[in-house]
Amino acid sequence: MQGNRTRWITTVDTDRKIRLLPLIDSLGAVAAAGATALERLRPLLNPALGEDELRLAAATGVKKEDILQAMLDLYMQPLQLLPLDFEKAYDEERREYCEPEESFTQKVEQVADWVRSSRYTVFYTGAGISTAAGIPDFRGPQGVWTERDKGRSPTSCNPYDSFRPTFCHYAITQMVRQHWAHFVITTNCDGLQVKSGLPPHCLVELHGNVFKETCEFCKQSFYRDYVVVVHKATHITGSTCDFCHSALLDTCVAFGENYRNPLDPVVASFHAKKADLAIVLGTSMNVQSAASYPEKALLNPGGKMVLVNLQATPFDNVATLRLYGHTDDFMKELTAALKVDIPM
């Protein structure tokens, strides 16, 4: 199994989660390889004082350098996992959870209250909101990357132009239309949010849109009813601009590429900093810099961050409220609480 991608992960210290240095995709690897370092780290962490290690260091008088050194020691510990142990840890990290219905509903009602009092609400969406449409996610139990890491071929899906928006897509659009929410930032390139009726000026598609092509010269954009991606390496679609007759390029961002539109992260950052309520739906929160936008809401007075998906994420301990469940179910209860009708 090829699970050596570096990223932020979470591990468990007693009964709470701690953000640690980037390690390979394994929760079990931390405990198995870093027992000594964890023992050094544990006395520095007071569960009663909150989640942020640096803020904790300042509050307890512990030097930041001591915490960073203990974390570095943990990072440098050699892994001592057998292939079977690694696979179990890998599967555990991708396990999906659904919390009890009563608890879920109570939390949705709390979110509804926050939406009513919010000055500026921003939705953040990932692959999880499109799985109900039939599009596989990436890091779920049968996700695209999960299957590839295990040496299996990812489940094939229908052409993108055959998919239709989910309830979640329509609900987000209707909430923006009725001014319950104000902007949407997504890492999805399936184009379903635009198909649901959301105006493009209310949306940033950080990773592009398979139905959108842009002129390489005048930057005019065109939305099509067919997939425009033809040459992933060059991004050339074979069409020409209606205005200046220059070549058109697709807008999709491949792994390792920078944002295709340099203004996208600027616009996303502007709205992220403006928000006092961030609602995060269906994302593993593992792709930077997109994963860092929602927590900017916490820097504003009364700022809150709500995180809804089926799997644990590196930002669970940062979120003001954490819900485990399907995004469609969350949006159905939220829009019902706000008395927002969803035409589909």
Side-chain angles (χ1 to χ4, degrees):
M1 187 168 56
Q2 304 167 1
N4 61 352
R5 295 187 305 278
T6 300
R7 62 181 185 77
W8 283 94
I9 69 166
T10 56
T11 187
V12 177
D13 178 63
T14 63
D15 62 346
R16 74 190 193 95
K17 292 183 177 179
I18 305 168
R19 289 175 67 181
L20 293 177
L21 289 177
L23 295 175
I24 64 173
D25 284 348
S26 172
L27 294 176
V30 177
T36 301
L38 276 176
E39 289 302 319
R40 287 185 56 192
L41 185 58
R42 185 173 289 110
L44 302 178
L45 298 167
N46 184 341
L49 293 178
E51 304 293 342
D52 190 299
E53 289 81 15
L54 301 184
R55 185 170 69 246
L56 175 61
T60 59
V62 176
K63 292 182 179 179
K64 179 177 70 173
E65 291 75 13
D66 292 340
I67 291 181
L68 295 178
Q69 184 58 51
M71 295 169 77
L72 180 62
D73 290 346
L74 174 59
Y75 178 70
M76 296 302 293
Q77 287 279 351
L79 296 178
Q80 300 174 353
L81 289 177
L82 297 174
L84 183 59
D85 295 327
F86 186 89
E87 185 169 356
K88 288 180 179 179
Y90 186 91
D91 290 339
E92 178 65 24
E93 191 180 23
R94 282 152 179 76
R95 179 178 294 182
E96 295 183 343
Y97 305 90
C98 278
E99 61 184 279
E101 183 177 349
E102 182 179 357
S103 169
F104 191 82
T105 298
Q106 289 176 351
K107 291 180 180 180
V108 174
E109 291 173 352
Q110 176 64 78
V111 176
D113 287 340
W114 290 343
V115 171
R116 293 186 187 101
S117 61
S118 170
R119 297 180 301 276
Y120 203 82
T121 296
V122 174
F123 278 104
Y124 299 84
T125 64
I129 75 166
S130 296
T131 55
I135 301 175
D137 60 16
F138 294 95
R139 295 174 177 85
Q142 284 81 44
V144 174
W145 304 144
T146 303
E147 294 296 280
R148 288 181 180 176
D149 284 348
K150 293 188 174 186
R152 300 194 292 253
S153 297
T155 303
S156 59
C157 66
N158 295 325
Y160 270 96
D161 53 10
S162 68
F163 296 114
R164 296 294 175 263
T166 66
F167 182 91
C168 186
H169 291 103
Y170 285 112
I172 290 172
T173 294
Q174 198 65 12
M175 285 186 64
V176 173
R177 182 172 292 153
Q178 297 187 20
H179 307 292
W180 290 110
H182 304 85
F183 201 74
V184 181
I185 299 172
T186 184
T187 53
N188 294 339
C189 62
D190 52 38
L192 294 184
Q193 197 63 68
V194 174
K195 281 187 176 183
S196 72
L198 186 70
H201 70 269
C202 296
L203 169 71
V204 164
E205 297 169 303
L206 290 172
H207 294 170
N209 182 329
V210 296
F211 300 101
K212 178 182 175 181
E213 49 190 346
T214 300
C215 177
E216 65 175 345
F217 181 74
C218 73
K219 308 306 178 185
Q220 177 70 31
S221 293
F222 302 88
Y223 288 88
R224 312 299 190 185
D225 59 2
Y226 54 88
V227 174
V228 301
V229 179
V230 179
H231 300 289
K232 292 184 179 180
T234 65
H235 298 288
I236 295 174
T237 66
S239 300
T240 57
C241 178
D242 293 347
F243 296 95
C244 68
H245 306 292
S246 298
L248 295 183
L249 307 177
D250 72 57
T251 58
C252 294
V253 178
F255 278 95
E257 287 187 329
N258 295 324
Y259 291 116
R260 301 296 310 288
N261 184 349
L263 290 180
D264 282 350
V266 177
V267 174
S269 182
F270 170 82
H271 290 281
K273 291 177 180 178
K274 190 175 179 179
D276 63 347
L277 177 60
I279 302 179
V280 187
L281 304 174
T283 169
S284 64
M285 300 288 283
N286 280 307
V287 179
Q288 293 291 357
S289 59
S292 66
Y293 290 128
E295 64 178 342
K296 295 184 188 299
L298 302 177
L299 300 176
N300 292 322
K304 297 175 180 65
M305 173 181 165
V306 177
L307 182 52
V308 185
N309 79 342
L310 294 170
Q311 295 176 311
T313 81
F315 286 80
D316 287 356
N317 62 332
V318 177
T320 311
L321 189 63
R322 182 67 170 90
L323 296 86
Y324 287 97
H326 293 280
T327 55
D328 272 7
D329 294 339
F330 171 80
M331 291 303 295
K332 286 175 183 176
E333 293 197 28
L334 179 60
T335 51
L338 295 172
K339 296 181 170 54
V340 176
D341 293 329
I342 311 301
M344 295 180 64

